[in-house]
């Protein structure tokens, strides 16, 4: 399904990004996986190779322009093109508004929003020349709904939706589509630390009655990365068990 395509996934060392990388590779894409933890990335490369796929690790911090440029450059150097960029790297630094530190705001915005901007800018330079490409931004249901204690995170994720729509309008003429996926509550390291009571409370707000899996998100990304979604751009695809409609 994705044979011959080259896909870059940020935040691929664990969780949702790792699942996305494995699914894209299983469908034939050559995947370039990125995050800061080089050891975990190398383990993922070995896993993907063991599953018959092709993969390259490029470690770096998405919040740094030089690292974002190097990520795209190394993908082109290794595989000759960039067809799919998944901006998935993300962090939380939760606290109530009145207690939120400047650095908690800056770190979250720099990673979640500026990181996606930097990688999109670098990838768009390649994709517009190719006259084809797919950019998929991993936002969040709380970017649509808001969430107490997550002003920084929700602002970054709502910002990603604006970035998605602007870039979709700007790049459409060059046959580059840009879409966002908004996961609901997904079982990963990011949600592992939530107290059981809070998890139970959250689950009652989900019509499908359970948290989602990393694979649920990866399936949506695969669709948006594939030729089957060629006429879809600037859209926000909620994968949230009905939590937000
Ligand atoms: P996770 O398990 O904490 O993984 C986050 C990934 O981002 C890791 O691979 C991490 O790798 C990478 N990362 C963090 N900061 C980075 C930086 N500065 N530069 C490069 N990579 C960085 O999180 P997850 O739950 O899989 O979440 C993945 C994405 O889905 C995030 O954007 C998150 O906001 C979004 N999301 C998650 C949920 C959920 O319920 N889990 C819900 C909605 C949206 P390193 O630490 O090695 O850099």
């Amino acid at each position: 399904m994705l044979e011959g395509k080259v896909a870059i996934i940020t935040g691929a060392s664990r969780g949702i990004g790792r699942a996305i990388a494995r699914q894209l590779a299983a469908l034939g894409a050559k995947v370039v996986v990125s995050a800061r933890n080089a050891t975990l990335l190398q383990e993922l490369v070995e896993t993907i190779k063991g599953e018959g796929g092709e993969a390259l690790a490029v470690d770096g911090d998405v919040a740094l322009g030089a690292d974002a440029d190097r990520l795209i450059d190394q993908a082109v150097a290794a595989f000759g093109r960039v067809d799919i960029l998944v901006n998935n790297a993300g962090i939380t630094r939760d606290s109530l508004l009145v207690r939120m530190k400047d650095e908690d705001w800056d770190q979250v915005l720099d990673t979640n929003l500026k990181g996606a901007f930097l990688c999109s800018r670098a990838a768009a330079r390649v994709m517009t020349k190719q006259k084809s490409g797919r950019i998929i931004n991993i936002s969040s249901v709380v970017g649509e709904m808001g969430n107490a204690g997550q002003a920084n995170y929700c602002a970054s994720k709502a910002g990603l939706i604006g970035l998605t729509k602007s870039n979709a309008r700007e790049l459409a003429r060059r046959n580059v589509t840009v879409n966002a996926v908004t996961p609901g509550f997904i079982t990963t390291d990011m949600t592992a630390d939530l107290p059981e009571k809070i998890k139970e409370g959250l689950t009652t707000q989900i019509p499908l009655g359970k948290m989602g899996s990393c694979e649920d998100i990866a399936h949506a990304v695969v669709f948006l990365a594939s030729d089957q979604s060629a006429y879809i751009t600037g859209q926000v695809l909620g994968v949230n068990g009905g939590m937000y409609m």
Side-chain angles (χ1 to χ4, degrees):
M1 188 182 181
L2 296 173
E3 285 81 9
K5 308 272 189 204
V6 177
I8 298 174
I9 304 100
T10 70
S13 59
R14 53 180 196 266
I16 292 170
R18 191 175 192 277
I20 292 170
R22 285 181 67 192
Q23 281 201 20
L24 292 175
L27 292 167
K30 295 168 187 155
V31 298
V32 180
V33 293
S34 190
R36 294 163 302 176
N37 187 323
T39 311
L40 286 180
L41 283 182
Q42 205 46 53
E43 279 172 26
L44 173 60
V45 165
E46 298 312 321
T47 301
I48 289 173
K49 286 184 176 164
E51 290 167 349
E54 215 171 323
L56 171 75
V58 179
D59 58 288
D61 183 339
V62 285
L64 303 175
D67 284 14
D69 288 346
R70 184 171 49 81
L71 171 60
I72 308 302
D73 288 349
Q74 289 198 18
V76 173
F79 298 127
R81 50 190 295 116
V82 177
D83 299 289
I84 300 155
L85 168 67
V86 185
N87 286 311
N88 168 77
I91 57 168
T92 51
R93 294 284 180 275
D94 298 349
S95 80
L96 293 175
L97 175 65
V98 293
R99 289 196 209 123
M100 189 171 285
K101 298 190 182 84
D102 291 13
E103 56 265 35
D104 292 337
W105 176 270
D106 290 342
Q107 274 181 19
V108 168
L109 270 290
D110 282 356
T111 304
N112 299 7
L113 184 55
K114 189 178 177 192
F117 152 68
L118 292 170
C119 293
S120 298
R121 183 177 64 183
R125 289 177 179 142
V126 179
M127 290 174 173
T128 52
K129 275 195 202 125
Q130 287 170 185
K131 295 199 172 59
S132 74
R134 295 270 193 278
I135 299 175
I136 299 147
N137 294 321
I138 308 300
S139 172
S140 170
V141 68
V142 298
E144 300 169 296
M145 297 171 65
N147 198 20
Q150 289 198 307
N152 49 0
Y153 184 76
C154 296
S156 73
K157 294 299 185 179
L160 268 179
I161 293 174
L163 182 74
T164 298
K165 293 181 180 181
S166 282
N167 289 349
R169 287 185 184 278
E170 191 169 321
L171 301 175
R173 268 178 297 174
R174 297 300 182 102
N175 192 30
V176 176
T177 68
V178 188
N179 292 289
V181 172
T182 49
F185 280 91
I186 310 299
T187 309
T188 68
D189 289 354
M190 193 176 266
T191 48
D193 293 342
L194 289 175
E196 274 314 309
K197 265 206 159 168
I198 301 224
K199 276 194 211 169
E200 278 165 28
L202 287 169
T203 307
T204 62
Q205 297 170 39
I206 304 171
L208 286 177
K210 57 177 182 183
M211 290 177 74
S213 69
C214 294
E215 288 68 31
D216 290 327
I217 307 307
H219 290 314
V221 171
V222 163
F223 169 62
L224 291 173
S226 74
D227 289 343
Q228 289 165 356
S229 65
Y231 197 56
I232 299 175
T233 197
Q235 302 304 305
V236 180
L237 176 54
V239 184
N240 58 32
M243 187 178 169
Y244 177 79
M245 300 182 185

